Amino acid sequence: MTPISCETCPLRRKSFFRPFEEEQIDFLTRFKSGELTVDPGTHILIEGSTAPQFYTVLDGMGLRYKTLENGRRQVINFLFPGDLVGLHAGLLGEMKHSVEATTAMRLCVFKRDDLWTLFRNQPSLAYDVTWITAAEEHFLGETVATLGQRNGTQRVAWALLKVYQRLRALDIGKEGEVPLPYRQQDMADALGLSLVHTNKTLARLRERQLASWGEGRLRIPDVDTLADMALGDASLPDMRPLL
């Protein structure tokens, strides 16, 4: 598969991402060291490991998760095009969670040792990296609030709403319907619910015609009503930077 240049990157054409200046494109062309293509189920990074690279998701979907000492799994969040992967190992020395591909994925590869060059020579891009990290922290705060203050039905509604909004912001799918290749177990592990509870909650949402998830597709006929159920905001996420 022919590598994609930063200048012709398909993600740059999406209105969800802030535009680059020509100088930034030239720098990122040199900063990018290659691409990685992986099959579904591949562990891209493993908790406790050190990694000489970090990545930007160019195409495909995955998830981040942490394994507890008793073997149980907590899904931290889901990965979509434009997300940074492995930056934790670049800054903290080792991965604090694992990263797994849910679908086939294509990733831009950056060398961890070159990260300081970015901060030293491209302060605007360094700010973008900081912004992305702060946005992840904010999302984790939202997740904690969801686990602590939303009931089971509200949790599932909130998660489906967030995934739908992110995919629509990326122009993936169409109005009212997006691909959702994850398993119900992944959703349960993200929301602190049992698989049985998650399944029953999804059935209730389907019966009420608020959301339907099946055969890898998520259908939401009325986003505003689902947002009300989720105690959330129906608007799409704000424009964000891309590395």
Side-chain angles (χ1 to χ4, degrees):
M1 188 176 293
T2 304
I4 296 175
S5 71
C6 295
E7 190 168 356
T8 60
C9 175
L11 294 182
R12 288 186 56 224
R13 296 195 294 268
K14 296 184 180 295
S15 59
F16 182 48
F17 297 110
R18 296 176 189 165
F20 286 123
E21 298 175 1
E22 287 301 320
E23 179 187 355
Q24 294 173 328
I25 295 174
D26 292 340
F27 175 85
L28 288 172
T29 299
R30 299 188 303 271
F31 187 66
K32 178 180 173 180
S33 64
E35 290 183 6
L36 175 67
T37 303
V38 299
D39 295 325
T42 301
H43 279 87
I44 301 167
L45 293 163
I46 298 176
E47 184 177 348
S49 67
T50 57
Q53 299 97 10
F54 65 101
Y55 313 92
T56 289
V57 179
L58 185 59
D59 188 42
M61 303 183 201
L63 52 81
R64 295 183 175 102
Y65 71 91
K66 187 170 183 65
T67 304
L68 305 182
E69 291 184 3
N70 62 4
R72 298 186 66 179
R73 185 184 72 155
Q74 175 67 47
V75 171
I76 300 171
N77 59 12
F78 300 104
L79 291 170
F80 304 107
D83 283 343
L84 274 179
V85 181
L87 189 62
H88 300 79
L91 297 176
L92 302 178
E94 67 176 37
M95 286 298 298
K96 304 301 181 182
H97 57 260
S98 297
V99 178
E100 180 179 342
T102 300
T103 68
M105 296 183 74
R106 190 173 185 177
L107 305 105
C108 298
V109 182
F110 308 104
K111 294 180 181 178
R112 183 180 67 179
D113 291 343
D114 291 341
L115 189 59
W116 172 240
T117 303
L118 182 148
F119 274 82
R120 185 179 59 222
N121 297 338
Q122 289 289 328
S124 59
L125 289 177
Y127 177 85
D128 288 346
V129 172
T130 305
W131 190 100
I132 293 170
T133 303
E136 286 188 8
E137 181 181 353
H138 172 72
F139 179 78
L140 290 176
E142 275 196 87
T143 303
V144 170
T146 294
L147 298 181
Q149 301 301 324
R150 287 180 170 93
N151 62 34
T153 301
Q154 291 166 344
R155 291 184 200 181
V156 174
W158 175 82
L160 295 178
L161 177 68
K162 287 294 182 182
V163 170
Y164 173 83
Q165 290 172 321
R166 179 65 184 275
L167 292 175
R168 288 303 300 133
L170 288 165
D171 296 322
I172 296 175
K174 61 184 180 180
E175 191 68 28
E177 182 177 328
V178 296
L180 191 60
Y182 299 100
R183 304 172 302 157
Q184 288 189 17
Q185 186 66 65
D186 298 329
M187 188 67 69
D189 289 346
L191 298 173
L193 301 172
S194 69
L195 180 59
V196 171
H197 192 158
T198 301
N199 183 269
K200 289 181 177 179
T201 301
L202 287 167
R204 286 196 296 270
L205 292 175
R206 184 172 59 251
E207 290 168 1
R208 297 178 62 176
Q209 298 184 345
L210 292 175
S212 176
W213 178 17
E215 299 181 348
R217 308 294 297 182
L218 171 64
R219 299 169 182 85
I220 300 179
D222 188 337
V223 176
D224 290 332
T225 302
L226 184 67
D228 288 341
M229 166 69 71
L231 306 179
D233 184 354
S235 59
L236 294 180
D238 294 332
M239 182 184 293
R240 57 174 289 165
L242 172 69
L243 187 64

